[in-house]
Amino acid sequence: MQDFAGRVAVITGAGSGAGRAIALALAREGAHGVVVADIDEAAARETASLVRLAGPHALVVHADVADRDSMDDLATRAYREYGEVHLLFPNAGVAKPSPLVDAERADWDWVFAVNLHGVVNTVQAFVPRMLAQERDAHIVVTASMSGVLVRRNRNGVYTAVKHAVVAYSNVLRDELEPEGVAVSCWCPGGMATRIGDAARVRQDEYGGPLTATSNFAGDWEPADAVMPRLLQGVRENRRYIFTHPETRPALERYYAEMFQDFDAGDRTAGEIG
């Protein structure tokens, strides 16, 4: 997909952070319509107002990605409004820091429900409709660098889930490519977003809202700064979209260590059979 002008995009988690940045980047590219979906409806309305200022039509939908019915409703409303959806960004994400052995069941359930099941629910709601429409479609799943390497941090639950998201995205790409639907896995590094206080809207079934609890913090560039890199990855239909080149050394060290262990296994197999 080389041109985003005239296209319709659906973005979950679009009320702030990366989701808002994606919405505004597509608006500047001349998108026809942007569906702004978020569990925080007030934040979604703010994003939609900014999108409209840039020109496109914007539809606000209160959506909980962890709820399959909510995603079905999102797809129904998007297709009722626009007839087709060309770009789908399953982007909503949350985190709650904790050593793995201390993480509560509610933490695991919440992070899995939003970050992994939310992607699955979104894809399953939209793909049948995408396959039936006339124009091409592209799904861009927001994963993380934490999905392709393991860093020493206190976000083990998040890291485990993002690894699953990366695997899901890769299999999905191979399944849907013959059907004409492209899939890319976006693995961003650190960005200045609101994921650190995502628990402010944590659903009641996972313990209800909390004050800021995440250690996702740092001297990071705003999400909108990397949007040209993200959209170029979509244009090139990349399997992985890497937008933070400064993370490459860490990735290289991680896989170098993995291949050292593989070499050890290879040596052992040769020595003892």
Side-chain angles (χ1 to χ4, degrees):
M1 186 180 300
Q2 296 297 312
D3 190 356
F4 305 116
R7 301 284 188 166
V8 173
V10 175
I11 308 157
T12 66
S16 62
R20 175 174 289 183
I22 294 167
L24 295 179
L26 291 171
R28 290 190 291 268
E29 290 282 340
H32 167 63
V34 178
V35 181
V36 181
D38 204 289
I39 198 169
D40 185 343
E41 188 171 355
R45 292 190 180 282
E46 291 177 5
T47 298
S49 295
L50 295 171
V51 168
R52 294 181 187 117
L53 286 175
H57 183 271
L59 174 67
V60 175
V61 179
H62 176 263
D64 177 0
V65 298
D67 183 340
R68 175 59 193 271
D69 290 340
S70 181
M71 290 299 96
D72 287 339
D73 177 66
L74 173 62
T76 297
R77 293 184 61 182
Y79 273 85
R80 181 190 304 140
E81 183 72 29
Y82 299 110
E84 291 187 331
V85 170
H86 312 109
L87 291 155
L88 177 64
F89 292 85
N91 168 77
V94 298
K96 186 173 183 292
S98 170
L100 287 173
V101 296
D102 297 331
E104 299 177 358
R105 176 61 183 269
D107 299 337
W108 283 99
D109 289 348
W110 179 51
V111 177
F112 263 91
V114 175
N115 292 6
L116 178 59
H117 298 161
V119 173
V120 174
N121 290 339
T122 306
V123 167
Q124 290 184 337
F126 279 87
V127 164
R129 294 172 169 90
M130 286 179 160
L131 293 174
Q133 70 188 31
E134 293 185 3
R135 298 184 72 185
D136 57 337
H138 199 131
I139 300 169
V140 183
V141 178
T142 301
S144 170
M145 287 303 296
S146 292
V148 291
L149 62 88
V150 177
R151 292 175 283 194
R152 294 177 178 87
N153 57 39
R154 289 174 54 84
N155 288 298
V157 176
Y158 176 89
T159 298
V161 175
K162 287 299 185 180
H163 269 68
V165 171
V166 169
Y168 174 86
S169 301
N170 274 276
V171 176
L172 186 69
R173 179 184 175 94
D174 292 338
E175 290 182 349
L176 294 183
E177 188 172 37
E179 305 296 328
V181 176
V183 179
S184 295
C185 181
W186 179 31
C187 295
M191 296 181 292
T193 71
R194 295 193 69 185
I195 194 171
D197 67 343
R200 75 191 186 280
V201 290
R202 189 173 66 168
Q203 303 92 319
D204 290 342
E205 57 265 43
Y206 307 112
L210 288 174
T211 55
T213 58
S214 177
N215 63 347
F216 278 81
D219 186 19
W220 292 327
E221 60 188 334
D224 60 354
V226 305
M227 288 302 108
R229 305 170 210 166
L230 173 61
L231 295 186
Q232 184 60 26
V234 177
R235 289 188 183 96
E236 296 178 5
N237 188 20
R238 293 295 176 185
R239 177 180 291 269
Y240 290 100
I241 300 177
F242 294 110
T243 51
H244 291 71
E246 70 275 10
T247 62
R248 181 175 183 136
L251 188 66
E252 290 177 337
R253 288 192 299 270
Y254 179 70
Y255 283 98
E257 182 177 343
M258 183 182 295
F259 279 111
Q260 288 173 5
D261 291 340
F262 194 98
D263 290 341
D266 189 28
R267 183 191 68 248
T268 300
E271 291 173 351
I272 65 177

